[in-house]
């Protein structure tokens, strides 16, 4: 039986929505806002001091993005198999992140720190999704 006002769509679509909302859009805008605030208050010459705090902010915004996305998906879509959705969205996150990092490859220390934070972010994304994204289909 279909639940009122909820759409039944394919798992890949829900996964893409989850990844784009929680793994891309929310961290992007939080990071952009933090970058602008830090860049204009601390100055361009002091910006390298804030790379590590911005990386931690990215992880926190990713966590809150997963919470927001999970609530949105729960009230918008019928979720029958949350594990499949979580695995697919984590795979999207991993593949797109690796491709981006391969495109921007360098042998600098910052690159390796970014790669380390990226794999921590993948873990944060996966475990936060496991915690907050649940099945909501009634059989």
């Amino acid at each position: 039986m279909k639940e009122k006002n909820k759409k039944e769509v394919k798992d890949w679509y829900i996964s893409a929505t989850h990844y784009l909302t929680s793994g891309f859009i929310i961290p992007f805008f939080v990071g952009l806002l933090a970058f602008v605030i830090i860049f204009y208050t601390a100055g361009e010459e002091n910006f390298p001091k804030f790379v590590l705090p911005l990386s931690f902010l990215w992880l926190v915004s990713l966590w809150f993005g997963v919470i927001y996305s999970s609530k949105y998906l729960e009230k918008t879509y019928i979720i029958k198999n949350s594990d499949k959705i979580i695995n697919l969205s984590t795979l999207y996150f991993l593949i797109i992140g690796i491709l981006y990092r391969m495109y921007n490859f360098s042998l600098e220390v910052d690159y390796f720190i970014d790669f380390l934070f990226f794999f921590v972010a993948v873990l944060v994304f996966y475990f936060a999704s496991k915690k907050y994204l649940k099945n909501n289909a009634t059989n």
Side-chain angles (χ1 to χ4, degrees), residues 26-27 30 54-66 124:
I26 291 177
V30 168
L54 283 173
S55 296
F56 282 110
L57 179 65
W58 176 48
L59 295 175
V60 171
S61 67
L62 185 64
W63 185 276
F64 285 115
V66 168
V124 166

Side-chain angles (χ1 to χ4, degrees), residues 5-115:
N5 297 327
K6 290 188 180 183
K7 300 176 197 172
E8 186 169 354
V9 295
K10 301 282 186 190
D11 288 342
W12 68 265
Y13 184 84
I14 298 172
S15 299
T17 303
H18 182 58
Y19 160 69
L20 288 173
T21 304
S22 61
F24 183 76
I25 293 172
I26 291 177
F28 176 78
F29 284 115
V30 168
L32 182 65
L33 180 65
F35 171 80
V36 168
I37 290 170
I38 291 171
F39 189 79
Y40 287 110
T41 57
E44 183 178 350
E45 63 279 351
N46 292 325
F47 188 75
K49 296 176 187 175
F50 294 100
V51 171
L52 198 59
L54 283 173
S55 296
F56 282 110
L57 179 65
W58 176 48
L59 295 175
V60 171
S61 67
L62 185 64
W63 185 276
F64 285 115
V66 168
I67 294 171
Y68 172 79
S69 176
S70 298
K71 289 179 182 179
Y72 170 76
L73 293 176
E74 183 180 330
K75 68 181 179 182
T76 308
Y77 300 110
I78 297 172
I79 301 172
K80 293 181 180 177
N81 189 352
S82 63
D83 287 336
K84 185 175 179 183
I85 292 167
I86 292 166
N87 290 338
L88 270 174
S89 59
T90 304
L91 189 63
Y92 295 157
F93 189 84
L94 186 64
I95 290 173
I96 292 170
I98 287 174
L99 290 175
Y100 172 76
R101 280 154 184 80
M102 285 174 55
Y103 179 74
N104 292 322
F105 181 76
S106 72
L107 292 175
E108 297 176 10
V109 173
D110 293 346
Y111 177 79
F112 294 107
I113 292 171
D114 176 60
F115 216 80

